[in-house]
Amino acid sequence: MSSAPSVSSAPASPAPRKARPRRLGPGDRIFLTVIIGIPLAALLFFVWLPALASLWLSFTTWDGIDLVDIHWVGLDNYQEIFTNYPPFWPAVRHNVAWLLFTALLPTPFGIFLAYQLDRKIRFTRVYQTAIFLPMVLSLAVVGFIWEIIYNPDTGLLNGLLNAAGSGHHIDWLGNPDLNLWAVLVASGWRHTGYIMILYLAGLKGFDPALKEAAALDGANGRQTFLRVVFPALRPVNVIILVITVMESLRSFDVVYVLGGGIGSKPGMELLSLLITDNILGESSHIGYGSALAVVLLVVSLAAIGTFLVQNFRKEDQ
């Protein structure tokens, strides 16, 4: 009689326990609360709360003195702006001109300078510093500098024209047909350096092997940039475009300074100036100015949002 073989079953080793994440101590929680909570509270208090308050006030009339004087008027402010506010449509046209000028001249010129300076030419650091220097200055200081240049009596520009024998005495900032373009030149002077440094940072991370491959295929410098470098730097291009749109639509400081600090003047109307004229002017119209601010916000979000959605859709495809 044979006995059944005994099956020796070794005890299964217990599955290794997953290490539990270490719980945050009181000090860690306080640290995270401080570094996250304070910026978040500041963002809510200084950005989103005023934005929501402006949206609500845009449907009211208020002189900014007593809260009991706030009266709901619905869409009357918007109807008044679009149909019976003479500076509004010139301001829209000037904002569009500002956007087109900045997108078509200073931005491509900044990209061009960045591409040239990335070639390690002599004294490239000196050129980069000189071109980027206006970006270090505030827009108000830039305005004061160009106010001296445009001075009709002692300004540098009229001095050069007189030295050349033109004999013309041009009031660059007083002529409604010229003052907007004079301000655009001052703004573009600063914007060019900003775009140059942004694009130069993108070029520093670009793979040089792609340029070498394009050169081996016989591409010249222009073809290499347009067909290799520019498409490969799509994220940088998106950032530059968004910055260009934002800088164009929110432009205020330099035009305020060059306009003499009196708000909008003929030929230099912008939406941002109309907002301050109505909110901070002698007779405050908080609801009216808030409606203008909402219009500017919608235009900004529409311009940036449309481009970003199309760009991300192409990337998904």
Side-chain angles (χ1 to χ4, degrees), residues 233-316:
L233 292 180
R234 177 187 290 270
V236 181
N237 298 334
V238 172
I239 292 173
I240 287 178
L241 184 63
V242 171
I243 288 176
T244 299
V245 174
M246 290 173 59
E247 291 285 330
S248 302
L249 294 178
R250 73 174 185 175
S251 53
F252 173 78
D253 312 56
V254 64
V255 68
Y256 185 80
V257 172
L258 290 177
I262 58 172
S264 60
K265 56 189 293 186
M268 298 172 69
E269 298 95 343
L270 291 176
L271 290 176
S272 57
L273 289 177
L274 297 185
I275 293 170
T276 55
D277 287 348
N278 283 279
I279 293 180
L280 303 178
E282 294 180 357
S283 57
S284 295
H285 300 90
I286 305 297
Y288 210 79
S290 299
L292 286 166
V294 171
V295 171
L296 181 58
L297 176 65
V298 171
V299 172
S300 304
L301 293 178
I304 297 174
T306 301
F307 175 79
L308 290 180
V309 168
Q310 292 180 351
N311 190 67
F312 292 149
R313 186 175 298 170
K314 289 179 181 177
E315 288 185 354
D316 292 340

Side-chain angles (χ1 to χ4, degrees), residues 37-72:
I38 292 179
L40 182 61
L43 180 68
L44 293 174
F45 185 78
F46 292 108
V47 177
W48 287 106
L49 183 60
L52 294 175
S54 297
L55 179 62
W56 178 70
L57 287 172
S58 68
F59 299 104
T60 66
T61 59
W62 186 35
D63 57 5
I65 298 177
D66 198 340
L67 292 178
V68 297
D69 294 332
I70 300 177
H71 301 290
W72 181 266

Side-chain angles (χ1 to χ4, degrees), residues 126-251:
V126 177
Y127 299 144
Q128 291 177 26
T129 304
I131 298 172
F132 185 67
L133 187 59
M135 190 59 209
V136 180
L137 306 175
S138 70
L139 280 169
V141 175
V142 171
F144 287 125
I145 293 174
W146 282 90
E147 191 175 24
I148 296 172
I149 296 174
Y150 286 138
N151 189 292
D153 299 322
T154 60
L156 174 64
L157 199 52
N158 275 346
L160 292 175
L161 291 176
N162 290 331
S166 66
H168 293 294
H169 184 80
I170 302 175
D171 188 0
W172 298 97
L173 300 176
N175 188 337
D177 297 327
L178 292 177
N179 51 16
L180 180 65
W181 301 106
V183 177
L184 285 174
V185 171
S187 175
W189 177 62
R190 183 177 184 271
H191 188 75
T192 299
Y194 190 21
I195 297 302
M196 181 208 69
I197 206 69
L198 284 177
Y199 214 80
L200 194 58
L203 289 172
K204 294 300 180 187
F206 186 78
D207 187 2
L210 296 177
K211 289 184 182 179
E212 296 172 0
L216 291 176
D217 289 339
N220 56 28
R222 181 178 59 84
Q223 293 171 332
T224 302
F225 175 76
L226 293 178
R227 298 181 181 180
V228 178
V229 177
F230 192 75
L233 292 180
R234 177 187 290 270
V236 181
N237 298 334
V238 172
I239 292 173
I240 287 178
L241 184 63
V242 171
I243 288 176
T244 299
V245 174
M246 290 173 59
E247 291 285 330
S248 302
L249 294 178
R250 73 174 185 175
S251 53

Side-chain angles (χ1 to χ4, degrees), residues 52-104:
L52 294 175
S54 297
L55 179 62
W56 178 70
L57 287 172
S58 68
F59 299 104
T60 66
T61 59
W62 186 35
D63 57 5
I65 298 177
D66 198 340
L67 292 178
V68 297
D69 294 332
I70 300 177
H71 301 290
W72 181 266
V73 295
L75 297 173
D76 288 355
N77 287 333
Y78 293 96
Q79 183 179 3
E80 183 78 9
I81 288 172
F82 288 115
T83 60
N84 193 24
Y85 187 45
F88 175 70
W89 289 111
V92 173
R93 288 195 296 271
H94 295 161
N95 270 103
V96 172
W98 196 296
L99 174 60
L100 294 177
F101 176 87
T102 307
L104 296 179

